[in-house]
Amino acid sequence: MPESLFRHALVPVASPEDAESTMRALRPYVESAEGDVTVINVIEKAGGAPDKASVEQREDYAHKMFSVARDEMADTDCTPTTEIRYGTDVAETIIETAHEINASAIVFNPRGGNRWVRLLTGDVGLSLVSESDIPVITLPEPNND
Amino acid sequence: MTDQELARDLGFLEAYTIGLGTMIGAGIFVLPSIAAEQAGPASMISFFAGGLVSLLAAISLSELATGMPKAGGSYYYVNRALGPFFGSIVGWGMWAGLTFASAFYMIGFGQYLLPGLGKYIGFLAGWGEIGITVAALVMAALLTGVNYYGVKETGALQNVIVLTLVGLIVAFLGLGAASGPTIGTFLPPEGWPAVAATIGTVYVTFIGFEVIATSAEEIKNPSRNLPLAMIAAVVTPTLMYVGVMFVSTGTLSIEALADSPIPVADVATEIMGPIGALAMIVGAVLATVSSANASILSAARVNFAMGRDKILINWLNEVHDRFRTPYRAISATGIITLVLIAIGVGIGTLAEVASFMYLVTYALVHIAVIVLRRANPDAYDPAFRIPSVLYPIVPILGFVACIAILLQMSLIVQAIGGVIVVFGILWYFVYARDRALSQSLVGEAIAPEPTTVADGQGRYRVVVPVANPETERDLLRMAAASAHAHDSETAEVVAVNIIEVPQQTSLEQDLTFEETRVERQQELLDSARDIADDLDVGLRTHAIVGRNAGSAILDVIEEENADHVLLGWKGRRSRREHVLGSTIDPVIGRAPCDATLVKLGPEGGRATGDIMVLAGEGPHAPVAARRAREFAEAADEEARLTLFNVQEPGEDDDGLSPQERGEALIEEFVERTGLEEAQYQSRIEVAEDIEGAILDAATGYDTICVGATRTGAVSQAVFGSLPETIGERTDQTVVMARGPEESAMSIRQAIVRRLES
């Protein structure tokens, strides 16, 4: 039997809200597979132009996401590992990280948004699905009620 | 590569082009008409002088930026060195300067777009002043939107823009020089004062290199790349500006230049024909947009840095959950820029106010260098230092030059600038004073603390974590006793206080709610300084905000290369996870130096009076005796030392009586500690219950010193169960001591095991 897709999930998160909903959706799968979770936030660098926001500011922001993610998993056996990565191409950086940590899958929560917003801000989800050579799982947001 | 290095993706070339991209902005395309009107061909001198003043600022800024590569640039350095009063002035000043500059760039954009391109594209012509304002408003709104949504801009695009601009200007200069410009009357009718006043007008073209400093945290190998990029980003445009003024004033008459909204394009028409003029117009449009873009981003960084230092509400620095941009700061900057464009301040005034704010900023930056050099705080270790031939000439000259230009500026500009400065001052008194985290270093700069000999060279250091104002004095006194017993000339005490912030909250966020704790920390450390003065011992303080007090203290111990750490203990064992306490356990367990834990007894008997030392066989008993001797020597009145030993009744295998055994042990003990006969008395008791006997005897003394034991019970105790029981069960002052070696490992294991179970 092939190994569980949730043996070691790499979870890219983009905001505290995203971290919360993704971890909530992921939690039952990780618990039943007794898997590990690594949460990463990629800080997008402009690679030669001034960044859109200060690195320090975005690092603070990443730490907020991580603490939300840890809280969400607090009463399980799994303590997520957290990591900040830097890269000019967010999807590529996520895939590289997945290889580095030998992840079994990349798991994320599709963030919606209309075509224009995606065009302007870059559609990381689409790039992940089309470029990754590691399984990619998108989890629907669980109902809040 | 570490994360830190990965976060840095700007090399010399990138930093240089970012600086150039902002420097070769609206200034060089718009200012020639204003400058020529004011000072004629002599405005070349104005541009050159502006470049020199900026070069001085770039040198001072390079030292500061490599010493403190943090977001915020000049604001951060001034706030750090001169405190929140000047921090408020410069923070608001820079922010205002950047918004005025953005508005200036945008109107320049409008001038080139409508009257400029209007010559080629029919419907753009003939819109007049209103058209220019509308174009400026639309573009400013668009740029704000682009930065709000975080539309990705790449380094490649940046490089294309900058290369295009440099190419255009070089072509302009080359063809212009070849066309044989003729300079008429060099000096304007008003003479040199007009030339000096024009420096203030054109200075706005030189504020761009600040962008390099505000992005210091993103620059690779900043000690080399940052100063080089700054200096290059000042020198290159200065030469270009002087050249452009030379060609412009040599080609067109002063009157024609002064009347032109698009001076560089008009000059280009003369020397390169309409195609050349069109190229210059396209260049101007690119340049104004890229300058305004960089200014808006820089302004948001200044807001962020001010929020981080609690000079500004952090609400403004919220990151957008989708676009990951500081959208509120960007919007605020954008709105003010729009207002400034709309109210029609006039392009010259916009430029001059921006210049004014930056001249105020750089004047203070020069002072900040001197203050930091003199105060020399621990954290300040710039990779680039102003070479000794140039220090302190550069900051002094730079300061004087900035002030001189400020005084030359027109009254209306001084009035607007003054209002912004006053706003910063009021802001400090109304908002920032009670909240700001930073403290001025000016005091230390005026009277620097004597920084004695080189570090770690045999200087004895005692680290004392303090948390409670009631016990602070006694702990410091004991630490001072230990310091004095060593070379008292150089020995010093390091007082540490840690504000612990729980894992869930970010360090910054939590501090907002913790102002009272920050204040208490300051009070605690202030009184530590007073106490140290009384005790006549050198003292330094560390105020720390951290996740975990234990590891923060261990960091300080390592950083200070400490010889001894002395902590207070409430005298109660911890209930569950910890042995003595969540902070004490790791510090005592892992500190690579002498460690002492003190439970304070009633006043008057704290490490003075009758001191009992448990003279046993334990590996650390001699350390306890050493501590006792230090206390006795410091409490020079009649402190008495008693070496105490308890033996079980009955003869041992060698036929020695308990009394004989005890005497032999104390004799050996004294040999190990190096005590002298006159310094102590000995007392031997015989009892079945050793622990009980010690507890009974202890009541007759003021202070009990006991060394860490290594009993079988190590896994339930940090110091061993006997010392901890004594600490818990007697009312007297109890001093538990251990030395640096031997037991450290087993204690650590004990704690690890304890924490894991």
Side-chain angles (χ1 to χ4, degrees):
Chain A
M1 196 184 85
E3 58 162 21
S4 162
L5 282 172
F6 294 95
R7 174 185 55 78
H8 188 170
L10 177 69
V11 184
V13 292
S15 71
E17 293 74 28
D18 182 33
E20 190 185 344
S21 62
T22 314
M23 295 312 279
R24 200 183 306 138
L26 174 65
R27 189 181 150 146
Y29 300 102
V30 172
E31 276 184 308
S32 67
E34 291 177 13
D36 286 330
V37 173
T38 297
V39 179
I40 67 163
N41 174 245
V42 179
I43 290 183
E44 190 175 29
K45 298 292 297 170
D51 286 343
K52 290 297 163 194
S54 152
V55 170
E56 196 184 331
Q57 186 169 18
R58 289 181 292 167
E59 284 170 347
D60 287 351
Y61 195 53
H63 286 297
K64 263 184 216 158
M65 302 174 209
F66 293 160
S67 66
V68 170
R70 271 193 297 266
D71 286 355
E72 205 54 46
M73 300 294 278
D75 49 352
T76 69
D77 289 336
C78 166
T79 310
T81 312
T82 59
E83 222 175 295
I84 297 178
R85 292 280 172 140
Y86 306 84
T88 48
D89 182 331
V90 176
E92 197 184 292
T93 311
I94 294 170
I95 296 166
E96 268 168 26
T97 311
H99 280 286
E100 259 174 60
I101 65 165
N102 189 23
S104 53
I106 298 168
V107 181
F108 71 98
N109 200 330
R111 302 175 66 218
N114 65 40
R115 206 174 293 186
W116 277 109
V117 170
R118 277 190 233 164
L119 188 69
L120 286 172
T121 61
D123 192 338
V124 176
L126 181 66
S127 313
L128 275 181
V129 174
S130 51
E131 288 167 28
S132 176
D133 50 355
I134 284 176
V136 175
I137 301 169
T138 70
L139 289 176
E141 197 159 351
N143 284 332
N144 284 331
D145 43 37
Chain B
M1 250 199 286
T2 66
D3 281 354
Q4 197 60 51
E5 287 159 25
L6 285 171
R8 299 176 176 277
D9 63 346
L10 308 178
F12 165 74
L13 211 60
E14 287 86 3
Y16 175 54
T17 50
I18 287 177
L20 269 189
T22 321
M23 292 285 270
I24 310 179
I28 197 54
F29 291 99
V30 179
L31 285 172
S33 73
I34 303 171
E37 184 177 16
Q38 289 183 3
S43 55
M44 275 185 268
I45 307 280
S46 309
F47 274 98
F48 189 73
L52 279 184
V53 172
S54 301
L55 195 60
L56 297 176
I59 292 170
S60 283
L61 269 178
S62 294
E63 168 163 336
L64 295 171
T66 58
M68 301 173 280
K70 302 264 274 176
S74 297
Y75 151 73
Y76 178 77
Y77 318 133
V78 170
N79 186 50
R80 180 76 194 80
L82 309 181
F85 177 82
F86 291 103
S88 295
I89 295 176
V90 169
W92 283 113
M94 278 176 74
W95 189 69
L98 287 166
T99 49
F100 273 82
S102 303
F104 163 72
Y105 297 144
M106 287 293 85
I107 293 185
F109 164 83
Q111 291 185 350
Y112 272 89
L113 186 75
L114 295 181
L117 273 184
K119 290 181 184 167
Y120 304 87
I121 303 168
F123 74 91
L124 288 175
W127 293 96
E129 284 296 318
I130 301 289
I132 291 173
T133 307
V134 169
L137 288 172
V138 170
M139 194 61 217
L142 200 67
L143 274 183
T144 309
V146 161
N147 289 311
Y148 183 107
Y149 289 112
V151 178
K152 197 170 169 180
E153 187 190 343
T154 60
L157 180 64
Q158 165 94 17
N159 290 342
V160 169
I161 294 175
V162 172
L163 275 179
T164 309
L165 292 177
V166 172
L168 279 174
I169 291 179
V170 168
F172 178 89
L173 293 180
L175 292 171
S179 74
T182 47
I183 300 290
T185 334
F186 186 71
L187 268 184
E190 299 84 3
W192 288 107
V195 177
T198 307
I199 304 174
T201 313
V202 303
Y203 197 73
V204 68
T205 37
F206 292 101
I207 68 174
F209 73 94
E210 168 80 22
V211 172
I212 300 176
T214 46
S215 313
E217 49 165 2
E218 293 158 40
I219 295 173
K220 285 186 272 194
N221 188 8
S223 61
R224 171 183 171 274
N225 289 336
L226 196 138
L228 275 183
M230 284 232 225
I231 289 165
V234 170
V235 172
T236 322
T238 303
L239 296 176
M240 287 182 173
Y241 298 164
V242 172
V244 167
M245 280 324 288
F246 174 71
V247 171
S248 300
T249 52
T251 306
L252 286 184
S253 72
I254 304 301
E255 294 72 34
L257 269 180
D259 289 341
S260 169
I262 49 167
V264 176
D266 285 345
V267 175
T269 313
E270 293 292 314
I271 58 178
M272 302 151 92
I275 299 297
L278 183 61
M280 295 314 290
I281 291 170
V282 172
V285 167
L286 278 180
T288 46
V289 171
S290 102
S291 294
N293 188 49
S295 299
I296 292 173
L297 289 175
S298 290
R301 288 213 191 358
V302 174
N303 285 155
F304 165 71
M306 289 171 79
R308 175 188 60 200
D309 301 335
K310 304 282 163 276
I311 284 184
L312 192 62
I313 47 174
N314 244 332
W315 177 85
L316 205 56
N317 292 320
E318 186 80 22
V319 178
H320 195 284
D321 63 356
R322 166 147 217 132
F323 310 128
R324 270 156 289 163
T325 54
Y327 65 108
R328 288 181 186 148
I330 299 268
S331 308
T333 308
I335 289 167
I336 303 294
T337 304
L338 291 174
V339 170
L340 288 174
I341 297 170
I343 59 178
V345 184
I347 188 163
T349 311
L350 287 175
E352 287 186 58
V353 173
S355 301
F356 185 95
M357 297 330 298
Y358 266 83
L359 287 165
V360 170
T361 300
Y362 291 144
L364 291 170
V365 159
H366 287 300
I367 303 219
V369 176
I370 295 177
V371 165
L372 278 167
R373 279 275 185 110
R374 286 191 56 87
N376 198 17
D378 293 342
Y380 184 66
D381 185 20
F384 168 84
R385 294 179 83 91
I386 301 175
S388 53
V389 249
L390 298 177
Y391 182 90
I393 302 167
V394 163
I396 290 175
L397 205 64
F399 174 77
V400 171
C402 289
I403 297 297
I405 301 173
L406 284 173
L407 294 176
Q408 287 286 334
M409 298 182 84
S410 74
L411 217 53
I412 174 81
V413 172
Q414 288 175 341
I416 298 176
V419 166
I420 297 170
V421 170
V422 168
F423 177 82
I425 293 172
L426 288 178
W427 182 264
Y428 167 75
F429 283 109
V430 172
Y431 183 89
R433 182 168 55 170
D434 299 332
R435 296 178 173 85
L437 295 179
S438 58
Q439 275 191 323
S440 165
L441 294 171
V442 177
E444 267 98 304
I446 292 166
E449 285 175 22
T451 39
T452 27
V453 285
D455 259 36
Q457 308 285 314
R459 181 191 296 195
Y460 192 83
R461 280 203 185 92
V462 189
V463 168
V464 187
V466 292
N468 180 347
E470 284 163 31
T471 59
E472 187 182 18
R473 173 172 288 272
D474 290 300
L475 294 178
L476 287 170
R477 186 166 47 78
M478 292 182 192
S482 175
H484 280 145
H486 294 80
D487 194 0
S488 54
E489 283 300 304
T490 60
E492 62 181 2
V493 174
V494 179
V496 187
N497 180 266
I498 293 109
I499 294 179
E500 245 180 336
V501 174
Q503 287 290 350
Q504 289 79 8
T505 37
S506 85
L507 293 176
E508 317 237 318
Q509 182 190 15
D510 201 61
L511 266 181
T512 332
F513 309 109
E514 301 291 352
E515 279 145 21
T516 46
R517 284 170 78 185
V518 174
E519 259 167 48
R520 258 196 42 209
Q521 180 173 56
Q522 285 309 328
E523 281 167 20
L524 207 61
L525 293 178
D526 284 346
S527 75
R529 275 186 277 271
D530 295 342
I531 296 167
D533 280 347
D534 293 349
L535 295 170
D536 196 24
V537 67
L539 179 106
R540 280 182 304 113
T541 59
H542 281 272
I544 296 173
V545 177
R547 294 279 183 222
N548 179 301
S551 55
I553 294 169
L554 285 168
D555 286 346
V556 170
I557 291 170
E558 192 181 335
E559 204 178 291
E560 294 283 355
N561 198 10
D563 299 278
H564 182 185
V565 55
L566 187 140
L567 295 96
W569 179 44
K570 288 201 190 77
R572 285 189 305 277
R573 282 188 169 108
S574 203
R575 248 173 248 121
R576 287 190 307 144
E577 321 86 277
H578 305 292
V579 185
L580 299 177
S582 59
T583 304
I584 296 172
D585 287 5
V587 174
I588 298 295
R590 299 220 294 269
C593 57
D594 278 10
T596 305
L597 189 65
V598 178
K599 192 208 75 169
L600 292 172
E603 268 181 57
R606 295 173 170 175
T608 55
D610 286 324
I611 302 174
M612 171 169 111
V613 181
L614 291 185
E617 287 159 321
H620 298 284
V623 183
R626 206 184 308 144
R627 291 288 98 84
R629 192 176 66 181
E630 288 166 4
F631 298 151
E633 282 169 1
D636 42 23
E637 357 96 62
E638 64 301 344
R640 285 164 307 278
L641 230 57
T642 304
L643 302 184
F644 183 76
N645 183 260
V646 184
Q647 293 291 328
E648 285 177 28
E651 294 186 4
D652 70 356
D653 298 345
D654 300 334
L656 291 171
S657 74
Q659 191 68 28
E660 287 167 330
R661 286 201 307 268
E663 279 167 12
L665 192 140
I666 288 181
E667 203 173 307
E668 195 203 316
F669 182 80
V670 168
E671 232 166 80
R672 278 163 66 192
T673 56
L675 279 169
E676 284 159 39
E677 194 78 31
Q679 287 180 307
Y680 68 94
Q681 299 168 301
S682 50
R683 172 175 168 191
I684 295 156
E685 296 252 324
V686 181
E688 288 278 359
D689 173 10
I690 294 180
E691 199 171 279
I694 293 172
L695 289 172
D696 283 346
T699 53
Y701 296 87
D702 296 305
T703 298
I704 294 97
C705 292
V706 51
T709 55
R710 272 195 302 180
T711 63
V714 71
S715 58
Q716 282 125 47
V718 173
F719 272 101
S721 68
L722 177 66
E724 287 168 24
T725 305
I726 297 171
E728 208 172 24
R729 304 257 296 271
T730 60
D731 295 330
Q732 279 75 17
T733 297
V734 177
V735 176
M736 300 181 228
R738 73 152 175 81
E741 66 302 279
E742 296 176 43
S743 71
M745 200 54 207
S746 68
I747 288 173
R748 183 189 303 174
Q749 288 165 341
I751 287 169
V752 168
R753 206 178 307 151
R754 183 80 198 173
L755 292 176
E756 281 172 352
S757 65

